Amino acid sequence: MRWQSCSSHNKKQEDNIKHISNLICNVMYKLANRRSLYYATALKAELTGLQQHGGGGRHHDFNHNLETAKQNVRIVVIGAGIAGLSAAQHLLSHGFQKTLVLEATERYGGRVNSQKFGDTFCELGAKWVNIDGSHDSMYELLRNAEGLTKRLKQPTRVRYVHPEGQGDHQVKVPGRMVELIDTLFRQLCRGFKVRDKVKDGGDLQSLDNVMSYFQSESEKLITTSFKEPAEQLMARDIFQSLFKDFSSILGCCLEYVNIQHVTTCPLEGQETNPIYVPTGLDNVVEELTNDLDVGQLQMGKPVGQIQWKTLSEPQSVGCLDGSLYHADHIICTLPLGVLKTFSSILFKPTLPLEKLQAIQNLGNGNPVKIYLSYKRPISRWLKSNLRPLGSLLQLNDLSSSSSSNPKPNLNPQRSWTQQVVEISQVPTSQHVLEIRVGGGYYDEIEKLPDAMLLEQITALLRQCLSNSKVPYPQAMLRSSWNSSACYLGGRPYFSVNSSARDVQSLAAPLGHVAPTLLFAGDATALQGFGTIDGARFSGIREAQRIVDFYNKKLSV
C-alpha cells in the first residue's frame, strides 16, 4: 500500500524550497549589484597585508619545495560538519596551515546536533556509532576521546499495542511472533532475498523500490509462517510497523527508495550493538576542532558564490556578508539539500552537467525527531516502550479524548500519529520520551504547531496505555532539518532514479591539472553512504587527495 502522504510530499517540499530559494536569490541579487563589496574587501586586505587567506587572487607558484607549498597553499573548506572538520583536521595534521573552514550557521557539527533537554542530552541528528575498527572511522575517533563515556545500545522491552480492545481486554501480541518477524525483517534489510531474485530472474518488478520489495517478500513469509487469518493480519501489522521503522531512519517514503539502498547501505542503529554517547555525540565534534586556531573556523558565513578554477578568473569563495576568500583548493561539503536547490547559481562557472544531474538524482530525506519532557518520572505510567499497530487513532478520537471541546472530524487518514513508530524512554533519563515517526508526513509534522502535536501525542499515549491520567509534557524539543535554509533536509538516500554512479559523479573532483574544487559529505561516499562515518571518510579522502597531489608534484 502507498503512504497517502507520498503524493503531497514532493509538492510541499517544492513549495518550501521555492520560497527559500527566492529569499536567497534576492539576497544574492542585491550582492551582485554591490559586487564592490567583494572587491573592496579583497583590496583592503591586500593594502593592509591582513588577509590571511587572500593574496589578491594571484596564483602561487609552489615549485620550490613541499614545505613551502604546505606553508602557503590556501585551502577553503565550506561547511563545518563532520566531513568539513575531518578534512580540515587531516590537512592540518599534514602541515597545510592555511586551511580555513567557513560555516553558514552559528553551530558546528552539521548533522550531529546534541541538545541538553530535561535531565539528559538528546540527539536531533545522528545518534548511533557503529563499532568499526577501520582507520579514521567515527568509532576510532570516539574511542580515542579521553574521558568520554560510551554505552552500547541495549535491547529494550517493547510492547506492541493493537487497536482493538481497551485495558485488560486489549488484544495481546505474542512475543514469539514479534521475535520471529523481527528476525525475518532483518534478513530482508540485509538484501538476502534480492540476491535470490536477481539470480533466478523472477518477479524483478518487485525490486522497483524498497516498499515493493518489502511488501512482496513479507507477504510470502507471512503465508508460509502463519496459517490462521487472525495471525496473518497481526503479522502484517507488525511488518508494517517495521517498514515505518526503516523509513524513519531515512526520513522518506520507501516507495522513493532504490533497492540498492538495502543491498549496499546498512542503516545506523540497525547494527547489532551500536554505541552512543550519553553526554552528547557533539563531544566527538569538539575533538575535531582542537587543532583549529582562532580564525581558522569562521561561523556565520553562508556562502553566496563559489568561483572555481578557470583560465581567466582567480579561484575564490564569496560569502553573503561580502567577505571574499581566495583559495588554491576548495573543499565543498554543503548538504545535498542545499546543492539541490542552489547548485545552479552557487558555482561559477556552472558545474558540469553530469554532476548537476547526480545532485538531482540522489534522494534527500528528512528524519523527524521529537522529545517530550515531563515533570515527574515517566516510569509512574510507562513500563515499556510502545509500538502502536495499525490505524490505532483517528482524529476525532484524539480530539475527544484530550479536549473538552472536540474539533471537527477531519479525514482520519491525515492523522500524523498513525506514522508513530515507537514511543520510548530515553535510556539516560527519568523524565524524557522520544517519539520516532516513519512512513510519511515528515515535512508536515515538522510544521505542526506545538500545541496540536502535544495534544495528539498525549491522546495517543492515553489510548495506548488505557490511562486517561497520562500527563501533558512540560516541554518539547523537535528537529527542523527541512525548514533550515542551511540544510533543507536531513540525510541522503538512493532514490529510484539514482545509483552508485551518481555518488561517484558527485564525489569527482574538478580542475584542469590540480584538484581545485573537491566535494565531500555523506552523499559522496559509497562506503557509509548517508552516515556520519561516510561523512568522515569523505572529508579525509578529499584532504588526502590534496596531500597526494603535492607529495607527487614536489617530493624529490
Side-chain angles (χ1 to χ4, degrees):
M1 94 182 217
R2 287 184 171 269
W3 300 113
Q4 302 217 2
S5 63
C6 294
S7 60
S8 63
H9 176 85
N10 282 343
K11 185 178 185 304
K12 288 180 176 295
Q13 188 174 41
E14 287 173 5
D15 292 342
N16 186 34
I17 287 176
K18 284 179 181 178
H19 175 67
I20 298 173
S21 178
N22 288 336
L23 292 177
I24 299 294
C25 287
N26 287 338
V27 174
M28 294 181 70
Y29 175 78
K30 291 177 182 178
L31 284 176
N33 289 335
R34 303 202 314 267
R35 202 166 286 275
S36 58
L37 264 177
Y38 286 159
Y39 296 126
T41 302
L43 179 60
K44 180 180 178 181
E46 286 184 40
L47 293 175
T48 60
L50 294 177
Q51 187 174 7
Q52 285 185 319
H53 297 270
R58 294 168 295 177
H59 179 67
H60 289 298
D61 182 5
F62 299 123
N63 288 324
H64 303 297
N65 57 62
L66 184 58
E67 290 306 313
T68 301
K70 288 182 176 180
Q71 293 172 14
N72 292 284
V73 169
R74 304 160 301 179
I75 304 171
V76 174
V77 180
I78 302 173
I82 295 295
L85 293 176
S86 295
Q89 183 192 54
H90 193 76
L91 288 164
L92 290 169
S93 70
H94 283 77
F96 290 83
Q97 294 304 310
K98 287 193 174 181
T99 297
L100 172 67
V101 182
L102 301 176
E103 167 57 37
T105 70
E106 297 298 333
R107 179 188 67 83
Y108 53 81
R111 205 159 60 85
V112 174
N113 186 0
S114 309
Q115 297 288 327
K116 183 72 170 69
F117 181 65
D119 61 343
T120 189
F121 286 88
C122 297
E123 304 291 354
L124 292 178
K127 177 177 182 178
W128 305 108
V129 176
N130 292 327
I131 297 178
D132 181 356
S134 303
H135 184 57
D136 291 329
S137 67
M138 285 297 295
Y139 175 67
E140 181 191 53
L141 186 65
L142 191 59
R143 185 179 58 188
N144 294 335
E146 297 182 2
L148 191 60
T149 302
K150 307 100 177 171
R151 291 186 184 175
L152 284 171
K153 180 182 181 182
Q154 299 296 328
T156 55
R157 182 186 172 195
V158 177
R159 181 161 72 93
Y160 281 87
V161 184
H162 200 272
E164 295 181 5
Q166 291 288 326
D168 295 336
H169 300 289
Q170 273 189 344
V171 176
K172 303 295 183 182
V173 180
R176 291 177 60 185
M177 174 185 284
V178 172
E179 292 176 4
L180 174 59
I181 293 176
D182 187 68
T183 300
L184 295 174
F185 181 68
R186 287 183 180 275
Q187 292 178 0
L188 294 184
C189 289
R190 296 188 184 101
F192 288 171
K193 298 296 182 179
V194 175
R195 290 185 283 273
D196 293 341
K197 282 180 176 289
V198 173
K199 183 178 179 180
D200 298 340
D203 191 24
L204 295 182
Q205 186 174 357
S206 65
L207 299 182
D208 285 347
N209 58 69
V210 168
M211 180 56 84
S212 295
Y213 162 66
F214 279 169
Q215 287 182 328
S216 64
E217 292 304 317
S218 64
E219 192 60 33
K220 294 176 186 177
L221 293 170
I222 289 170
T223 54
T224 56
S225 301
F226 306 100
K227 303 304 179 184
E228 297 296 326
E231 286 186 329
Q232 292 181 354
L233 183 61
M234 187 174 291
R236 289 188 185 96
D237 280 343
I238 297 173
F239 267 112
Q240 195 76 2
S241 176
L242 294 173
F243 298 165
K244 289 192 294 184
D245 190 2
F246 192 99
S247 169
S248 72
I249 300 173
L250 296 177
C252 69
C253 298
L254 294 184
E255 286 141 318
Y256 300 158
V257 184
N258 193 321
I259 194 66
Q260 189 169 10
H261 210 115
V262 170
T263 58
T264 62
C265 304
L267 299 181
E268 65 262 39
Q270 291 211 338
E271 295 296 308
T272 307
N273 292 113
I275 60 177
Y276 67 99
V277 181
T279 55
L281 191 57
D282 61 353
N283 285 279
V284 182
V285 180
E286 296 290 340
E287 294 289 316
L288 291 173
T289 62
N290 286 341
D291 295 332
L292 291 170
D293 294 333
V294 176
Q296 288 184 309
L297 174 57
Q298 297 196 17
M299 314 298 291
K301 290 285 185 178
V303 169
Q305 187 175 87
I306 300 171
Q307 172 73 56
W308 56 287
K309 200 67 175 178
T310 65
L311 296 178
S312 58
E313 295 286 344
Q315 185 158 289
S316 62
V317 176
C319 296
L320 293 180
D321 63 0
S323 55
L324 183 70
Y325 302 88
H326 291 285
D328 299 292
H329 305 275
I330 300 169
I331 300 179
C332 176
T333 73
L334 290 171
L336 180 61
V338 174
L339 290 176
K340 278 180 171 290
T341 308
F342 300 118
S343 59
S344 61
I345 57 177
L346 266 180
F347 296 90
K348 184 181 178 183
T350 304
L351 294 176
L353 181 60
E354 184 179 15
K355 193 175 289 288
L356 290 173
Q357 191 64 53
I359 290 170
Q360 296 307 319
N361 286 347
L362 291 169
N364 189 44
N366 179 34
V368 171
K369 291 193 175 184
I370 303 169
Y371 295 94
L372 306 175
S373 176
Y374 293 83
K375 183 177 180 179
R376 296 182 178 181
I378 57 181
S379 58
R380 296 162 62 100
W381 44 268
L382 184 69
K383 305 302 180 184
S384 63
N385 296 351
L386 298 175
R387 286 203 170 204
L389 288 180
S391 303
L392 191 142
L393 280 183
Q394 299 198 4
L395 285 184
N396 56 332
D397 295 330
L398 291 173
S399 300
S400 60
S401 63
S402 60
S403 174
S404 58
N405 298 311
K407 297 179 180 178
N409 181 17
L410 304 177
N411 181 357
Q413 293 181 334
R414 299 298 293 175
S415 173
W416 73 270
T417 55
Q418 292 184 19
Q419 311 306 322
V420 171
V421 175
E422 184 169 313
I423 303 169
S424 59
Q425 182 175 346
V426 175
T428 55
S429 170
Q430 295 297 316
H431 299 266
V432 177
L433 283 183
E434 179 180 358
I435 314 296
R436 290 200 295 116
V437 181
Y441 299 129
Y442 298 102
D443 298 342
E444 295 174 10
I445 294 170
E446 191 175 284
K447 298 173 184 176
L448 276 178
D450 288 355
M452 180 183 295
L453 191 147
L454 291 174
E455 178 183 340
Q456 295 188 358
I457 197 63
T458 299
L460 176 61
L461 278 166
R462 289 175 176 177
Q463 184 162 348
C464 287
L465 297 171
S466 298
N467 180 358
S468 62
K469 295 183 179 180
V470 171
Y472 278 91
Q474 63 178 1
M476 178 172 63
L477 176 70
R478 55 203 290 207
S479 61
S480 57
W481 297 107
N482 198 59
S483 302
S484 170
C486 296
Y487 293 98
L488 297 177
R491 62 166 293 164
Y493 63 88
F494 282 115
S495 74
V496 292
N497 297 320
S498 65
S499 67
R501 177 177 292 182
D502 292 306
V503 178
Q504 294 169 334
S505 296
L506 179 55
L510 299 176
H512 297 294
V513 178
T516 53
L517 177 59
L518 308 94
F519 290 82
D522 57 1
T524 72
L526 282 175
Q527 179 186 1
F529 178 75
T531 68
I532 51 176
D533 263 322
R536 178 156 170 77
F537 287 142
S538 70
I540 294 173
R541 177 195 69 209
E542 297 310 307
Q544 187 60 43
R545 196 189 301 275
I546 294 174
V547 173
D548 290 343
F549 171 76
Y550 286 101
N551 283 340
K552 181 178 180 180
K553 180 179 180 181
L554 302 177
S555 60
V556 179

